[in-house]
Amino acid sequence: MFNWGGSYNRVTLLLFMVSFDMEKTCFVDTDCEGPKKGFITQALYHFKTVYLLTASDLKTTLLPASIFALVSTLSGPLLTTTSSTPLPRLSLHFPLLKSLLWIYLNLLLFNLSNQRLPSSILEDSINKPWRAIPSRRLSPTSARRLLLLLIAIVILLSTLYLGARNETLFLIVLTYIYNDLGAGDENFLLRHVNNAFGFITFGAGAAQVALCSSGNSLNSQAYIWLGVIATIITFTIQFQDMEDQEGDRKRERRTLPIVLGDLWMRRMNAVVIIVFSIAAPAFWRLGCLGYSVPVGMGLLIAGRSLVCKPLQDKTTFQLWCLWLVILYLLPLAKGDGALAGPQRN
């Protein structure tokens, strides 16, 4: 399924798989670090295992998607089918909690699918040894079984209780394409487009869950805005690949920084982040103050891209995540206040 390339990767993977014993289940195997006796102790142990599976993606996926859901519910007729003002804030608490549950379950599903793969285990054993599988809290076999169970649970919950069934099914398809079919490794364009669709589907699904209790949904303007966000992510998602270039080369992953080279990629990053920092508020026709925060953050990220060393790329990517959240918040600046410019007819 994956092109392993040289003998170094084959030998390293073989040694790691032998030492790990991939057919054992960490919940019962004495070679793995299992939980101590006691119901509370075991429960806390398994909760931590679940957290470790998703810890890396809480800021990059859960936060932006939940922000989009919140903005959508507060935007009223701007992004939703409601003809009235937004729901009172107190009445939003429960729908938003349901939205967070939907996001987390789908995020857990993606991470189980991704981290159980041999290539991911090899990479995580070097770069993120604290994750559940390389730290021997969970075996790949257990992860696969949990994944099968979770797929059924998430589909049932989305169909019968939470909502956003179509978004759930689409995320499962994207997960399969990205992980099992290798779209995240072999072609940077497929990688970028898949990531972009994943981001906006998480956002759209989270918003639909938050809105369904009031009988509303996203309107056509919201989907146009999601298309703008998808375009922005497609052209800027390479910020997450800047810090992983060495590991991606060993894995023979064809990311954009490796294809274009580090220097040209940094120059391109500086240009595209400034372009979209201007384009996003322009879409909403905001006033000068509406441009100030995204453009200011974009200039900071562009400067870091040009002058910072590779060891600082992780912080730059975290700033990119914050920048994306700022873009998600822009519809709230659409109105009669100081942030708004000329209104659309």
Side-chain angles (χ1 to χ4, degrees), residues 189-220:
L189 182 59
L190 287 176
R191 177 181 174 84
H192 286 210
V193 171
N194 192 286
N195 271 281
F197 275 116
F199 266 93
I200 66 170
T201 305
F202 266 105
Q208 297 287 26
V209 171
L211 291 167
C212 68
S213 60
S214 62
N216 296 305
S217 61
L218 296 175
N219 61 19
S220 58

Side-chain angles (χ1 to χ4, degrees), residues 9 19 36 69 93 95 105 144 183 199 265 268-269 291-292 306 329:
N9 282 343
S19 65
K36 297 179 181 179
H93 289 175
L105 287 175
R144 178 180 58 80
F199 266 93
M265 192 71 264
M268 178 179 170
N269 283 345
Y291 283 81
S292 59
L306 294 173
L329 290 169

Side-chain angles (χ1 to χ4, degrees), residues 14 19 52 64 82 105 115 117 119 127-128 131 142 162 183 185 192 204 217 219 225 252 255 257 259 261 270 282 300:
L14 178 61
S19 65
L52 291 176
T82 181
L105 287 175
Q115 294 175 30
L117 298 174
S119 55
N127 296 331
K128 297 174 182 176
R131 279 184 164 174
S142 296
L162 294 175
D185 294 324
H192 286 210
S217 61
N219 61 19
W225 174 232
E252 297 187 355
T255 62
V259 172
L300 173 62

